[in-house]
Amino acid sequence: MDGEIVVQDLELRSLIGFDGNPLNGLILHPDGIHLVYPLGTNIAAYHWRTKAQRFFEGHTNVISAVTVSTSGRYVGSGQVNYMGFRSPIIVWQFDTGHLIAKYESHKVRVESVAFSCCENFLISLGGIDDGSVIVYDIGKREVLCGSSSVKSTAGSATVLRPVHMRGECFIVAGDNILRLWTLNREQRNIQGLDGSFAKIKRKILCTVVDRLDEYAYCGTSTGDVMKIKLNFSADTAVVAPTNAPTLVGCFAKYPPAGKNRRGASSAAAVELYSKGITALYLVADGSMLVGSGDGVVELVKQKARDGGRGTCNKPNSTRLATPTRPLLVAVKSANVDSSVTSIQLMDDGVVLVGTVNCELFAVRAHDFDVTCLFTCHTSVVYDLAFPHGYSKVFATASKHDVRVWSVDTLQELLRITVRNFTCSGVLFSYDGAQIVTSWNDGNIRIFAPETGRLLYAINNCHNKGVSAIAMSKDGRKLLSGGGEGQVRVWKVDNLNGTLQAVLKEHKGPVSSIDVHQLGHEAITASADGTCVVWDIVRFTRLSIMFSSTIFTSAKYHPNGAQLLTCGTNRYIGFWEALDGSLIREIEGSSASALNSLDVTPNGKYIVTGSSDQMVKVWLYNEGVPTHVGVGHAGVVTNVKVSPDGRFVVSTSADGGIFLWRFPHAADIAPPGSRCSANSVAGGGAGANRREQQTDRSRQLSLKKTLPARKENINVISKVQKVRTATDCSRPSAVATVAGDGNATETTVDGSVKCLCRPGSTATCVCCDHGTGGRKIKPFVR
């Protein structure tokens, strides 16, 4: 058919944050200017200088392992799959992004992947449900051989590391196991030699090999470093080792002066890394970067051993007293407050540190000053909001905190933390001067948009927590929905809130609230299968809509004549706003619930997010999809179209934030209102003129009642206050609110990060506002 619409892929513009859970998931490309890391089902290649992102797409679930070849030619990755299914492994060409190979050899999970130093093979290690190691021939596009990676006297293997000078050799390590494998390409098999640890038992968490393939250094859960001699021949042409790998020693740090263990001599006292050593990186000068489970990042050097004695201290011949010797001396130290999973060193001396909390830090080598580069949510994102008419920033709500993000820099501008509580909703006031948030403790908290300072709180709004909020255009009425099903209308005036009405109609939690653009009515959606249109002037019910579903979202069309709903029945509902009658229903998903929808400012398109991890763009009148976005690794919880209509932001249950390029022309002028009850005689021009006069009079009245200096979201992009702690013992520049909502504690002892471009000759605008006269040093890359 000539008029048939072909569904296309939605173009992914950028990702916010990175997934720090995979071991060594953050990789510095050999070109020195690209960072490769996973997020969701995509792998991002981030250009360090231009800040541009490219994506490698093809996975269908969470990525569990990433690797880059020695020359940077290939990118390989493996994923997690459902129980009983095999997990695919994909190899891409880095320059073009073309998929070279895709195969499935492991069950459920790929634990680790690595390219051989000759780049002819891709080695993969399966998880606990698979227990095998596979060698894939990239040139022939076939699986060459495989073998079991488990040992009867040891636990599972989780670490895979190739050597640097022999493409047929690699190391597999794990719980009390270290095995050196050698590939025989002609016979299509691999043979392993087990390293002997004598009486010492260790669980290896990470491994690095020196450039000459002489020693392997293994970080353990005990908190020390095992040094293992690989026993390779001096001739690199000889592939097989002369002997099995042997343990040289278990080394830990020298304790600080005067901090010796009770009852132990100073020679035997050691200091172990808390929660184990989770990341290692060998520096060219012989020193080593160590990352631990408690967030400590240290540069250590090996001290020469005295006496040439054995690896263990033996006070007598019958007992092994302390197998760990003090041999490492800490030179510099920093703390990133969460378990370190990746360490990379750039050419300019910047140490990149990835953590399990999905944060990426830059640590300057000369003074170990820590700067947060990337961060993202680690749990479900419950709400998403843009300021009115401003597309440069947006806010997200999740467990413990609310965060404001920059669209241009993809960085966190502001973090407002309320410990032990979950933020269920967030919105900006119409004038951009307030961030309104709802919490599961039943309180509504309103913050300043630049500093995150608590302006005021409305306590005890709902018995079972506040589940949804909305605000009228004039900023005078605030609507809240609770877990018990009540809808409450609050009068907001002069930094306080007064209850005006309680609307009791729903029997289940209120999931969504949307206020009409004229401010005279609102629609609420509930999990009890009803949507109610309320008159918020007389506080009465206008109409009610029933459906056999759990409504998750309800919206007014920009012209005010129709209503849109979605829910667990997989359908998008079109309703008449005047009487609540159903116009039509279209199937929004073939198998999963619809969790969120939004309408473009011009009213021509709909955007939906569903539990099948898809984002779809629909034609409003035709009711057919035009574009589909695939990439989330979790349930899509929110979708929003930017006020300028140029891109779509979606969030998911795994904390991912995706920015999609909107595929249609950005025509942001909405159609005129056709609401008969509130139309103005004489046409839309008179209505707009009268509305502008009303807004102008309200702004003048606000200027008389509020202080002259008023924070606004429109200038937050020039006053970035992310956590850039100079004191490694605690985070800084993060607004923290007490649980009762009556007090705030804003620590600003860190530096404000400069957003101006490095090397620019223009005056730094970031240092002119909101710094309190402090001297700010831009972070120069």
Side-chain angles (χ1 to χ4, degrees), residues 212-429:
L212 300 178
D213 294 343
E214 292 181 350
Y215 297 99
Y217 298 87
C218 305
T220 68
S221 60
T222 307
D224 52 14
V225 178
M226 298 177 66
K227 186 176 182 179
I228 298 174
K229 188 174 183 180
L230 299 180
N231 293 321
F232 279 116
S233 173
D235 185 6
T236 57
V238 180
V239 177
T242 57
N243 292 304
T246 56
L247 178 65
V248 176
C250 296
F251 306 130
K253 290 188 301 180
Y254 278 92
K259 185 181 177 182
N260 295 333
R261 291 183 177 179
R262 182 180 300 176
S265 63
S266 60
V270 296
E271 183 177 2
L272 301 175
Y273 286 92
S274 178
K275 298 182 181 180
I277 296 176
T278 54
L280 289 173
Y281 187 91
L282 291 179
V283 188
D285 60 359
S287 57
M288 186 164 47
L289 290 166
V290 179
S292 67
D294 63 345
V296 173
V297 179
E298 287 188 338
L299 178 66
V300 299
K301 290 187 177 180
Q302 299 183 42
K303 187 177 180 180
R305 299 171 58 188
D306 51 350
R309 292 198 266 175
T311 62
C312 304
N313 294 325
K314 296 184 179 180
N316 54 62
S317 59
T318 60
R319 187 168 62 92
L320 189 65
T322 168
T324 302
R325 287 177 57 87
L327 195 68
L328 305 179
V329 179
V331 179
K332 297 176 183 178
S333 180
N335 197 314
V336 294
D337 300 321
S338 58
S339 179
V340 179
T341 56
S342 306
I343 295 180
Q344 295 287 300
L345 179 62
M346 301 191 70
D347 296 336
D348 55 359
V350 176
V351 180
L352 301 177
V353 179
T355 69
V356 74
N357 280 354
C358 301
E359 293 179 323
L360 173 60
F361 295 92
V363 182
R364 290 188 299 209
H366 65 278
D367 59 358
F368 262 50
D369 181 51
V370 180
T371 302
C372 183
L373 298 181
F374 293 156
T375 182
C376 66
H377 293 288
T378 57
S379 58
V380 182
V381 180
Y382 293 100
D383 201 8
L384 167 69
F386 275 96
H388 176 76
Y390 190 64
S391 302
K392 295 294 185 181
V393 299
F394 62 91
T396 54
S398 185
K399 187 176 182 181
H400 300 311
D401 56 33
V402 176
R403 306 189 188 191
V404 180
W405 307 89
S406 169
V407 172
D408 296 331
T409 63
L410 305 179
Q411 294 194 355
E412 182 186 79
L413 302 177
L414 177 69
R415 184 188 304 184
I416 304 170
T417 302
V418 181
R419 298 294 181 187
N420 303 322
F421 295 112
T422 299
C423 183
S424 58
V426 62
L427 59 88
F428 292 92
S429 60

